[in-house]
Amino acid sequence: MKKLDIVLRDWKPAHACALRTRNGKLHFADTSDRDWHLMRAFNTELKGKVVTLNISVEASIGCSSDLYVNGAGGIDIAQINMTGKVLKMAGALGVRAELQDNSLTATIRFLSADSFVTIGTARRTAVYPGTGEDQLIFSEIELIVEEASTGCPPLTFVDVGAAGGVQEELVPFRQSLNMIFVEPQHEAAEALRANNYCDFSSVTVVEAALFSSNEDRELYLTRFPQCSSLLRPNTELLESYAVAPCFDIKSTTVVSCSRYETLWQNGSAPKPDVIKADVQGVEYEVLQGFGPLLDECLAIEVEAHLYEIYIGQHLLADIVEMLSARGLFLRRLQPQMSFDGDLVEVNAFFTRHKESTMSEATVSKLEMVNKMWGLTYSSGGAHMVNKYG
C-alpha cells in the first residue's frame, strides 16, 4: 500500500463547481447549471489500482447535497448523505461513513480505471441543477493505492467490434483477462496487434466479421467509420438529429461473415465467459451466431437501440427476450446520449443469476464481472415482503 502525495490544493474543478482554500480547508461550491458538479486530482499511479479514499468533510451552511464519488463512464462509485447514511455504493468495493461533531468521516474503496479521482456532490441523481452556493468543506482527502488482486481464474472476454481498444473499466482487471478482440477491418486489427497489452493474461486478435450465418454480405461504409453497418442507415429517422451526417453512406463493399460458433468449432476462437458487442445494429444477429455458447456465457454487454436507426434492425426488447431465454437477464442500462437528448441508444448489461449449482470458479468469475461493471444485488423485494407480509 502507498499513500499518494496529493494535498487539498491539488484538486481542480472538473464540472460545474468552484473551489477555494481557506484556513487550510477546501471549500466546494456547485453552480446553478444542471450538470455534474465535480472536482478532480490526477496521479498516474491511480490507474489500475485499488484506491482507498479517506475523506474528512463537513456541510456548509447552505448545503443541500450529498458527498459523491464518480467513476469512469458515469458510474456512481459512492454517494453519502451528510448525516452519514450511505445512499449508493454501486461501483465501490466498500464504503464506511460516520458523523461526529458535524464532521463526516468516510472511507471508500474502489478499483480505478483512470489516472484521476473524481469527487463532488449529488442529490437524487449526480446530474442536478445546483444553487451556486458552498456545499462541502473538506479538511482532508487522503488517497492510498494498492495492487488489484482478484483471486479469480482468467476470464475470457470476447470484444466484438474492438477497433476502439480496451475499455477503461477493464484495466483494473487486466491481469485476470484473456482478451479476444474480434475486428473485421484489417487496418484496425493490425493496430490492435501493434498495441502493447502485455499486462493482460493474454490477448488474441481474430480478424473476422460476425453475423448469424456464414455468408457474404454488403457492408455500408459511412462518413463516420464507426457508424458503418451491415444494415442500411435509416435516413428518415436520422434526418431529425444533428448526428445524421455521420451516417451518410460513402461506399459499399462485400465482407465475408461468420458465425462465432463456427470460429469456435474450427479452433479459431475460444469459448467466451463474457461478450461485448458493438456492431451498429446487428448485435442481435451477432449474438445469434454464438449459438449454444450463449448457454454457458456468464455476462454480455451490448449496444442496443430503442428506435430503428438502421433499417430492419432488432431493438432492445428483442435482445432482452432472446437473452432471457438463455438465462441472461438485464442488469443495467447506460444511456449513450448521441441523439440530441432523446434516449435512442444504450449500452445494456446482462448477467446470469448466481446459483448454488455453480462451481466456485464460476461464482468467482461472476463476482468479478459484477465488480467490473459496477453491478449490485438489491434485496428490496425481500424487505417489502418482510414489512407487509
Side-chain angles (χ1 to χ4, degrees):
M1 299 176 68
K2 178 181 180 181
K3 180 180 176 181
L4 299 184
D5 186 23
I6 295 177
V7 296
L8 292 177
R9 66 174 177 271
D10 293 329
W11 292 86
K12 307 299 179 185
H15 288 277
C17 75
L19 304 176
R20 75 178 192 279
T21 304
R22 181 180 178 187
N23 297 329
K25 296 184 178 183
L26 181 64
H27 293 244
F28 180 101
D30 61 15
T31 71
S32 58
D33 298 333
R34 189 181 190 282
D35 199 349
W36 305 86
H37 304 276
L38 303 169
M39 64 181 184
R40 281 186 181 141
F42 291 80
N43 190 298
T44 55
E45 293 190 63
L46 289 162
K47 190 167 186 176
K49 302 291 176 56
V50 173
V51 177
T52 300
L53 262 178
N54 293 316
I55 300 174
S56 295
V57 62
E58 58 189 283
S60 298
I61 294 175
C63 180
S64 57
S65 57
D66 307 316
L67 174 66
Y68 173 70
V69 181
N70 173 263
I75 293 173
D76 302 326
I77 290 177
Q79 184 173 340
I80 305 170
N81 187 269
M82 294 307 293
T83 64
K85 182 179 180 180
V86 178
L87 303 176
K88 293 180 183 177
M89 52 176 293
L93 300 176
V95 178
R96 293 198 312 271
E98 183 180 5
L99 184 67
Q100 283 188 339
D101 300 327
N102 297 320
S103 180
L104 177 72
T105 301
T107 298
I108 303 114
R109 295 184 74 248
F110 62 97
L111 287 157
S112 175
D114 299 302
S115 297
F116 55 82
V117 169
T118 307
I119 300 175
T121 52
R123 290 184 186 167
R124 188 175 61 84
T125 60
V127 175
Y128 71 92
T131 63
E133 298 180 5
D134 279 359
Q135 297 294 311
L136 304 176
I137 304 171
F138 295 90
S139 54
E140 183 180 23
I141 306 175
E142 180 184 63
L143 290 92
I144 299 171
V145 296
E146 58 186 291
E147 293 294 334
S149 175
T150 64
C152 175
L155 196 70
T156 300
F157 193 107
V158 175
D159 188 342
V160 186
V166 175
Q167 296 170 289
E168 288 285 337
E169 62 264 30
L170 303 186
V171 173
F173 303 89
R174 59 195 181 280
Q175 295 180 346
S176 295
L177 289 176
N178 295 324
M179 290 298 304
I180 313 299
F181 294 118
V182 183
E183 174 53 49
Q185 299 184 51
H186 178 70
E187 295 80 4
E190 285 296 299
L192 288 166
R193 292 187 182 102
N195 267 311
N196 182 13
Y197 295 119
C198 59
D199 286 346
F200 285 79
S201 180
S202 69
V203 172
T204 303
V205 178
V206 178
E207 198 168 326
L210 297 187
F211 200 64
S212 56
S213 55
N214 300 313
E215 62 174 312
D216 291 343
R217 289 188 62 88
E218 191 169 32
L219 175 66
Y220 296 93
L221 300 170
T222 54
R223 182 188 301 274
F224 186 58
Q226 282 80 357
C227 295
S228 298
S229 176
L230 294 171
L231 299 176
R232 179 182 286 274
N234 184 357
T235 54
E236 184 176 349
L237 181 144
L238 290 165
E239 65 185 3
S240 61
Y241 294 105
V243 75
C246 294
F247 292 84
D248 290 345
I249 298 172
K250 306 305 292 181
S251 63
T252 62
T253 188
V254 174
V255 294
S256 180
C257 298
S258 303
R259 287 173 59 85
Y260 189 92
E261 181 187 9
T262 303
L263 299 178
W264 171 68
Q265 288 171 339
N266 66 29
S268 300
K271 185 181 295 184
D273 292 314
V274 181
I275 301 166
K276 191 217 87 177
D278 180 356
V279 284
Q280 297 307 115
V282 292
E283 287 80 6
Y284 185 94
E285 289 80 4
V286 165
L287 292 174
Q288 279 186 317
F290 280 81
L293 295 175
L294 288 182
D295 294 326
E296 300 179 59
C297 184
L298 296 177
I300 293 175
E301 176 189 350
V302 61
E303 185 178 82
H305 297 93
L306 285 81
Y307 300 90
E308 198 173 303
I309 68 170
Y310 294 97
I311 296 173
Q313 77 172 107
H314 288 85
L315 302 180
L316 174 62
D318 302 314
I319 296 173
V320 170
E321 182 179 6
M322 176 176 64
L323 293 184
S324 63
R326 300 282 194 170
L328 291 150
F329 298 95
L330 182 63
R331 298 287 303 284
R332 180 162 72 93
L333 292 177
Q334 183 182 61
Q336 302 297 301
M337 305 306 291
S338 301
F339 292 86
D340 304 343
D342 290 354
L343 187 58
V344 173
E345 185 175 71
V346 297
N347 286 338
F349 298 82
F350 298 79
T351 71
R352 208 165 284 285
H353 290 162
K354 193 183 298 183
E355 298 174 355
S356 59
T357 55
M358 287 180 172
S359 68
E360 185 177 338
T362 300
V363 171
S364 294
K365 288 181 177 182
L366 192 55
E367 289 176 349
M368 178 175 161
V369 171
N370 286 326
K371 290 178 181 178
M372 191 164 60
W373 288 345
L375 304 176
T376 58
Y377 292 97
S378 171
S379 57
H383 290 320
M384 290 176 65
V385 170
N386 291 336
K387 183 175 181 179
Y388 297 108

